[in-house]
Amino acid sequence: QSVLTQPPSVSGAPGQRVIISCTGSLSNIGAPYDVHWYRHVPGSAPKLLIYAYNRRPSGVSDRFSGSRSGTSASLAITGLQADDEADYYCQSYDNTLTGYLFGPGTKVTVL
Amino acid sequence: QLQVQESGPGLVKPSETLSLTCSISGGSIRGDHYWGWIRQPPGKGLEWIASINDIGNTYYHPSLESRATISVDTSNNQFSLRLNSVTAADTAVYFCARDLTGSSAFDLWGQGTMITVTS
């Protein structure tokens, strides 16, 4: 069982907004340690979308936004597009395990 | 444009040592960044393995620390990972990446190299 939990899948129609949750605990997200979000299409390199909860690297669309509340974090994708179909991972540090952890990933499907 | 590229053997026998190298081009490994290794077993999620900076400060995933060694070679602008006593569970795509913030926000990734542990 993952220390960080994510829904296995979320879906939405083109143009809609979807939210992916990442639930942790007081030893990671709630400590609080930074949360990062990645987009990964199997067979290619993962892409950093959000770092330190809500900061976007240069070149990342503002359709992606991050937030944190307590022991959970969320990634929102607005204006859903067909090429948003991918696996999305959250990541944080855990001070019990003393290491960086990824969530199990959420598959986003565009209907 | 800064790029990173993994290289590895492709196939490794059980109980042997896996050696991987990440070569950096278009920029220097020296500086404020950490550099890391991440893997993805077939059908599974991402797993951070270890990170290092240009002066050799390291940190490891606790479950791999006993078998993994990450090292840096600034003269050749590369860093490496050795993982000993491999088993089938180590079969994965291995990625190297640059840490943007020092908290494992990896912003620049290689394409990955597939490593299969098989006799």
Side-chain angles (χ1 to χ4, degrees):
Chain A
Q1 186 172 353
S2 297
V3 173
L4 303 176
T5 60
Q6 299 179 236
S9 63
V10 299
S11 61
Q16 283 189 332
R17 178 174 182 254
V18 297
I19 296 176
I20 302 169
S21 61
C22 177
T23 302
S25 68
L26 291 174
S27 65
N28 43 69
I29 297 174
Y33 291 105
D34 282 349
V35 177
H36 315 309
W37 290 91
Y38 299 85
R39 173 183 182 273
H40 186 213
V41 176
S44 66
K47 178 180 181 179
L48 180 67
L49 294 176
I50 297 289
Y51 66 98
Y53 307 117
N54 59 9
R55 300 182 68 178
R56 277 188 303 274
S58 175
V60 172
S61 170
D62 60 4
R63 296 189 301 109
F64 298 94
S65 62
S67 62
R68 182 187 76 92
S69 178
T71 57
S72 294
S74 296
L75 173 73
I77 309 173
T78 58
L80 200 62
Q81 301 174 359
D83 63 1
D84 291 330
E85 286 203 339
D87 298 320
Y88 291 80
Y89 294 88
C90 63
Q91 181 198 22
S92 188
Y93 180 83
D94 187 278
N95 61 24
T96 299
L97 297 176
T98 63
Y100 289 97
L101 302 171
F102 287 92
T106 296
K107 182 174 183 60
V108 169
T109 301
V110 181
L111 302 172
Chain B
Q1 183 178 355
L2 188 69
Q3 293 183 324
V4 296
Q5 178 68 55
E6 309 87 351
S7 58
L11 298 176
V12 185
K13 290 182 168 54
S15 80
E16 293 190 343
T17 296
L18 166 64
S19 294
L20 297 168
T21 297
C22 182
S23 299
I24 296 157
S25 58
S28 177
I29 196 170
R30 299 178 189 272
D32 295 334
H33 294 292
Y34 273 77
W35 305 84
W37 289 98
I38 304 97
R39 68 181 183 180
Q40 184 178 35
K44 296 187 177 181
L46 299 171
E47 180 181 42
W48 169 74
I49 301 170
S51 296
I52 191 168
N53 67 2
D54 63 344
I55 59 171
N57 294 324
T58 60
Y59 49 106
Y60 294 90
H61 193 291
S63 70
L64 294 169
E65 187 167 13
S66 63
R67 297 194 295 125
T69 302
I70 190 171
S71 59
V72 65
D73 180 352
T74 54
S75 61
N76 287 306
N77 220 32
Q78 61 188 25
F79 64 103
S80 300
L81 178 73
R82 287 171 59 86
L83 187 65
N84 59 35
S85 303
V86 298
T87 70
D90 296 309
T91 293
V93 177
Y94 285 75
F95 297 97
C96 65
R98 183 182 71 173
D99 181 351
L100 177 64
T101 65
S103 64
S104 287
F106 295 108
D107 69 325
L108 181 67
W109 294 66
Q111 288 300 306
T113 184
M114 180 68 203
I115 300 298
T116 303
V117 179
T118 180
S119 56

